[in-house]
Amino acid sequence: MAMTIHVDIVSAEGEIFTGMAEMVYAPAVMGEVGIAPRHTPLVTQLKPGEVRVETEGGKEMLHFYVSGGILEIQPHVVTVLADTAIRAADLDEAAAQEAKRRAEDAMANRTSEFEYAKAQAELVEAAAQLRAIERIRKGKRG
Amino acid sequence: MAGAKEIRTKIGSIKNTSKITKAMEMVAASKMRKAQNRMAATRPYAEKMRNVIGHLFHAHPEYKHTFMIEREVKRVGYIIVSSDRGLCGGLNNNLFRKLIKVLRVHRDEGVEVDFCAIGNKALGFFGRVGGKIVSQATHLGDAPHIEDLIGTVKVMLDAYTEGTIDEIYIAYNDFVNTMTQKPTIEQLVPIPPKPDEELKHHWDYIYEPDSKEVLDNLLGRYIESLVYQAVVENGACEQSARMVAMKSASDNANSLIDELQLIYNKARQAAITQEISEIVGGAAAV
């Protein structure tokens, strides 16, 4: 029997593939890599492309599309941490700016939802007070 | 009898309320199941990620990442995961209460705090308390996606890299089971080293293109995946807490209805008795 290597392909939102393989091909940033069993430990980034897995017996070739991610290799285990989102430094930066802006907006304007949350908190307080008053009244009567 | 009609109206309105809470309970129950499935789906990624990070700690990279180096703490960041909506029992309040205690300790030590709010409730609460919210993400919906969190988390990580904050914590509700949600506060950065791991021999990965770039990417993703998992877990907590809260609300409504029904029946009976005695009295007088 040919030597095999364990392959896990996972993304943050779910497991994609797990099983044994004779050979794995992945699109690393420096060029495609082919991984055979007993490969030396390696960590690399992936670029968008196809991960191919040659399953046991070499009969089948499975194809998985990844939009990037991380590839980690141990002598008997290959782990593909696939991205579900499209990543790029400037995209991430834009998202960060957006999150910051939203927080600043919420802090500065204190409008709509912010006000709503505040009003709701006050409402809960008022309701609790009313309930307490009612209870005191009932207690006096009884 | 004067009270009979009012009691009847009250029973009617409570019945309507119980219908609503019953419906919410059932909706929450079905959403909870989905949220639990989602939680199970994210687990393999987090586990694999943890493995890789564990390996990294074994390895001896020539480049030590800032996320692995502890430094003196002057300012800390908190990522707070809460729900967008209320009516879920004490879920958010329990978390905030626990957090407030920790924050008091920080204040006594003279450590300043920045917040990153995920979910409307955290935003509202810490806005009201007067904390400094540096980033936020709300309306993630029932199926949160990791891309909605990237920016929010990056603000915090950037602040750490720049040296503005020296530690990052995450506060969320840990899903124990349907009845129990545990408010949890964990340290994210610097990544706490695992104590039981001993260094067996010196080895290191081959890094492509180079260790700095790969580690930057990998650790960023690791933190993101932890935050994402916390968000997903908090979602499951929210639904189960809502289900339990709504169930007890429906039960309360039902017992209230029973009580009122009894009072109503008594009032009705009293009215009839009174009428009969009036008729009898009238007949006797004639």
Side-chain angles (χ1 to χ4, degrees):
Chain A
M1 200 183 95
M3 267 203 306
T4 53
I5 187 163
H6 190 90
V7 187
D8 289 305
I9 304 177
V10 290
S11 80
E13 288 168 27
E15 193 167 63
I16 297 169
F17 173 80
T18 173
M20 303 303 285
E22 281 190 5
M23 195 76 184
V24 182
Y25 304 92
V29 278
M30 309 275 286
E32 197 182 61
V33 289
I35 305 130
R38 296 203 181 161
H39 195 287
T40 183
L42 174 103
V43 187
T44 182
Q45 284 162 254
L46 296 179
K47 60 185 179 191
E50 212 177 32
V51 175
R52 283 171 296 148
V53 178
E54 202 179 316
T55 51
E56 237 172 319
K59 286 174 221 137
E60 228 184 325
M61 190 67 106
L62 301 170
H63 301 258
F64 302 94
Y65 177 77
V66 292
S67 56
I70 307 262
L71 174 74
E72 191 239 19
I73 303 166
Q74 290 280 328
H76 296 287
V77 188
V78 178
T79 312
V80 179
L81 302 161
D83 285 339
T84 44
I86 297 163
R87 306 292 297 254
D90 40 347
L91 269 180
D92 287 7
E93 189 54 43
Q97 290 302 332
E98 173 67 18
K100 233 186 219 169
R101 194 191 52 72
R102 278 200 308 262
E104 275 158 15
D105 273 7
M107 291 294 282
N109 297 333
R110 315 211 158 205
T111 47
S112 58
E113 273 158 35
F114 201 78
E115 280 296 315
Y116 176 73
K118 194 177 167 194
Q120 207 174 26
E122 277 165 9
L123 182 70
V124 171
E125 258 167 55
Q129 277 173 359
L130 269 181
R131 226 174 302 137
I133 291 168
E134 215 164 85
R135 212 170 295 140
I136 293 167
R137 274 202 195 139
K138 256 188 201 162
K140 268 186 191 162
R141 213 187 297 151
Chain B
M1 182 63 197
K5 194 171 169 356
E6 277 105 72
I7 296 171
R8 212 161 45 213
T9 329
K10 204 162 186 186
I11 290 176
S13 87
I14 293 173
K15 260 187 192 153
N16 282 338
T17 312
S18 86
K19 264 181 216 154
I20 295 169
T21 54
K22 188 86 201 161
M24 281 188 79
E25 180 196 331
M26 283 187 305
V27 170
S30 92
K31 278 190 181 173
M32 183 188 76
R33 222 161 298 138
K34 277 187 207 145
Q36 268 174 306
N37 289 342
R38 210 165 293 126
M39 212 166 72
T42 60
R43 214 159 264 162
Y45 184 82
E47 233 165 67
K48 295 289 156 4
M49 200 55 139
R50 249 195 305 274
N51 281 348
V52 174
I53 298 292
H55 290 159
L56 263 184
F57 271 97
H58 272 305
H60 292 261
E62 68 270 38
Y63 164 71
K64 198 99 168 141
H65 197 273
T66 40
F67 288 179
M68 293 175 172
I69 303 164
E70 289 188 38
R71 55 190 190 216
E72 203 193 334
V73 180
K74 287 191 218 77
R75 195 177 189 93
V76 294
Y78 273 89
I79 299 175
I80 304 143
V81 184
S82 71
S83 67
D84 271 335
R85 300 201 196 107
L87 286 182
C88 48
L91 184 76
N92 292 316
N93 288 335
N94 288 343
L95 183 67
F96 295 161
R97 203 172 305 142
K98 180 163 181 162
L99 205 53
I100 288 282
K101 261 186 217 156
V102 180
L103 294 181
R104 206 166 287 153
V105 174
H106 281 311
R107 204 184 51 197
D108 292 344
E109 286 169 355
V111 174
E112 285 175 275
V113 183
D114 280 353
F115 296 108
C116 160
I118 298 175
N120 258 335
K121 292 287 158 188
L123 185 64
F125 184 81
F126 287 96
R128 221 154 53 90
V129 167
K132 191 185 160 214
I133 300 173
V134 291
S135 69
Q136 62 131 313
T138 54
H139 300 293
L140 297 174
D142 294 324
H145 292 295
I146 203 156
E147 56 253 52
D148 301 328
L149 295 168
I150 292 169
T152 319
V153 176
K154 189 171 160 57
V155 172
M156 282 306 228
L157 293 183
D158 282 351
Y160 182 84
T161 318
E162 284 161 16
T164 338
I165 51 179
D166 307 304
E167 265 177 355
I168 302 176
Y169 292 89
I170 185 164
Y172 67 101
N173 279 292
D174 187 21
F175 186 91
V176 181
N177 55 42
T178 316
M179 299 302 290
T180 332
Q181 296 88 34
K182 200 165 134 250
T184 314
I185 299 173
E186 274 169 11
Q187 183 176 332
L188 282 183
V189 189
I191 297 165
K194 295 182 188 71
D196 53 313
E197 279 175 17
E198 55 193 52
L199 304 165
K200 281 166 204 144
H201 57 97
H202 283 251
W203 65 276
D204 196 6
Y205 286 112
I206 300 170
Y207 298 92
E208 261 179 45
D210 61 75
S211 61
K212 183 177 179 312
E213 204 166 311
V214 172
L215 282 182
D216 276 351
N217 242 305
L218 181 61
L219 294 178
R221 251 157 251 219
Y222 173 62
I223 302 298
E224 273 162 20
S225 88
L226 287 181
V227 174
Y228 179 72
Q229 229 209 341
V231 169
V232 170
E233 203 143 310
N234 202 69
C237 287
E238 180 192 346
Q239 297 304 342
S240 66
R242 178 165 301 132
M243 190 184 84
V244 172
M246 287 302 117
K247 185 167 171 42
S248 77
S250 314
D251 289 350
N252 284 346
N254 284 336
S255 71
L256 209 55
I257 289 171
D258 286 348
E259 245 171 65
L260 284 175
Q261 193 72 49
L262 196 68
I263 294 171
Y264 172 72
N265 287 344
K266 272 185 188 160
R268 188 173 142 272
Q269 190 62 54
I272 291 167
T273 314
Q274 199 187 351
E275 255 172 53
I276 288 174
S277 70
E278 270 166 14
I279 290 166
V280 170
V286 173

